[in-house]
């Protein structure tokens, strides 16, 4: 018999696995991915080559795909970045949280002025917030003008220039201390937390709900323990 069966023979080298090799390179090679919208992504490779990936059809403009018809490393890289939350999935775009700048993926229909040559000019039609900075009824917020703490009771979809303040005879947007905030920003209703109902049942005047442009209020970011309580609700 020949010697290949001999225990002393070197272990055979496994045949190169092209699929796992492409997968490895997709993960480890430096590439930058830019979402262009409509499911298209621009991938710039370490060699300064730029390719266009259409994720939904799995197509890429690189030679590996065009001539060899394989699922190339660029398509794999885009899919990986989406799975890891680093690139917006098709149908969404990345915008910055109004308060902290962190990337938030929103539906393409929620933004205007989207440009095909990059995402720098993406403008949301209203301020967008990350999970940490979005507010819900019961959250504590800080008034940027007075530094006062308030408790949120309502987060509306109504614009500041469409909500009337009866006592002041003007809209929320027109109210003196709100002038520097965008009139398109939604209105939030909030109460001062000292405004508790008295033992005799009378509701103090201070329980009144005050209306603010959303951007005037900033969520008081709770400690990590409080935050995990909220997510378990
Ligand atoms: Zn490719
Ligand atoms: Zn944020």
């Amino acid at each position: 018999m020949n010697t290949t069966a001999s225990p002393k023979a070197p272990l055979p080298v496994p045949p190169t696995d092209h699929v796992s090799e492409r997968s490895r390179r997709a993960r480890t090679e430096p590439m930058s991915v830019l979402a262009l919208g409509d499911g298209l992504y621009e991938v710039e490779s370490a060699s300064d080559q730029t390719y266009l990936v259409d994720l939904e059809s799995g197509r890429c403009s690189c030679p590996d795909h065009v001539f060899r018809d394989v699922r190339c490393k660029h398509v794999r890289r885009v899919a990986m970045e989406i799975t890891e939350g680093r690139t917006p999935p098709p149908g969404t775009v990345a915008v910055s949280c109004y308060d902290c700048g962190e990337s938030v993926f929103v539906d393409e229909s929620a933004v205007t002025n989207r440009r095909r040559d990059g995402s720098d000019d993406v403008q949301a039609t209203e301020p967008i917030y990350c999970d940490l900075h979005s507010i819900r009824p019961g959250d504590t917020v800080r008034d940027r003008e007075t530094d006062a703490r308030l408790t949120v009771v309502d987060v509306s979809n109504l614009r500041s220039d469409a909500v009337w303040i009866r006592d002041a005879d003007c809209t929320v947007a027109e109210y003196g201390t709100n002038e520097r905030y965008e009139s398109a920003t939604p209105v939030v209703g909030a109460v001062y937390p000292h405004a508790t109902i008295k033992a005799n049942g009378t509701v103090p005047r201070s329980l009144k709900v005050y209306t603010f442009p959303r951007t005037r209020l900033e969520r008081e970011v709770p400690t990590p323990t409080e935050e995990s309580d909220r997510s378990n609700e």
Side-chain angles (χ1 to χ4, degrees):
M1 294 297 288
N2 68 39
T3 56
T4 54
S6 159
K8 287 178 184 168
L11 286 170
V13 177
T16 309
D17 180 341
H18 291 284
V19 171
S20 62
E21 174 62 8
R22 279 195 185 87
S23 201
R24 187 190 66 77
R25 292 171 66 178
R27 184 168 294 284
T28 57
E29 284 186 16
M31 283 184 247
S32 68
V33 174
L34 179 63
L36 301 178
D38 296 330
L40 297 176
Y41 297 83
E42 190 180 272
V43 179
E44 195 181 318
S45 70
S47 53
D48 271 351
Q49 297 281 351
T50 300
Y51 302 110
L52 195 62
V53 166
D54 179 343
L55 190 69
E56 275 157 350
S57 64
R59 299 172 74 91
C60 180
S61 59
C62 78
D64 209 22
H65 176 76
V66 172
F67 300 120
R68 287 184 281 282
D69 199 26
V70 294
R71 190 171 150 89
C72 65
K73 62 186 180 186
H74 310 108
V75 172
R76 288 162 192 272
R77 176 61 165 257
V78 171
M80 278 175 194
E81 293 213 354
I82 290 170
T83 305
E84 290 163 9
R86 290 189 285 146
T87 293
T92 69
V93 288
V95 294
S96 300
C97 168
Y98 186 89
D99 281 351
C100 72
E102 188 186 306
S103 257
V104 184
F105 301 152
V106 297
D107 196 274
E108 281 177 345
S109 63
V111 299
T112 54
N113 305 332
R114 190 157 56 83
R115 285 170 52 151
R116 311 278 320 198
D117 60 346
S119 55
D120 289 341
D121 299 67
V122 166
Q123 298 250 315
T125 50
E126 59 182 59
I128 302 286
Y129 296 90
C130 70
D131 277 354
L132 195 61
H133 292 108
S134 59
I135 58 175
R136 288 182 257 171
D139 282 342
T140 303
V141 290
R142 186 180 72 86
D143 177 357
R144 292 182 207 265
E145 295 296 314
T146 64
D147 223 28
R149 262 72 179 165
L150 296 104
T151 304
V152 174
V153 294
D154 183 43
V155 182
S156 79
N157 295 316
L158 300 166
R159 294 166 51 113
S160 299
D161 56 4
V163 174
W164 197 256
I165 306 176
R166 242 183 243 115
D167 295 352
D169 205 26
C170 66
T171 66
V172 173
E174 286 162 349
Y175 190 75
T177 49
N178 292 337
E179 279 169 350
R180 70 163 94 184
Y181 301 94
E182 288 261 323
S183 55
T185 199
V187 167
V188 171
V191 295
Y192 289 91
H194 63 256
T196 47
I197 296 167
K198 289 180 180 149
N200 64 8
T202 56
V203 177
R205 277 178 61 82
S206 51
L207 190 58
K208 187 178 160 195
V209 176
Y210 291 85
T211 47
F212 297 88
R214 169 62 180 94
T215 46
R216 178 169 161 171
L217 302 174
E218 177 182 34
R219 184 168 173 230
E220 288 272 281
V221 175
T223 63
T225 321
E226 286 167 345
E227 182 62 19
S228 67
D229 287 350
R230 174 165 128 153
S231 60
N232 289 339
E233 271 170 18

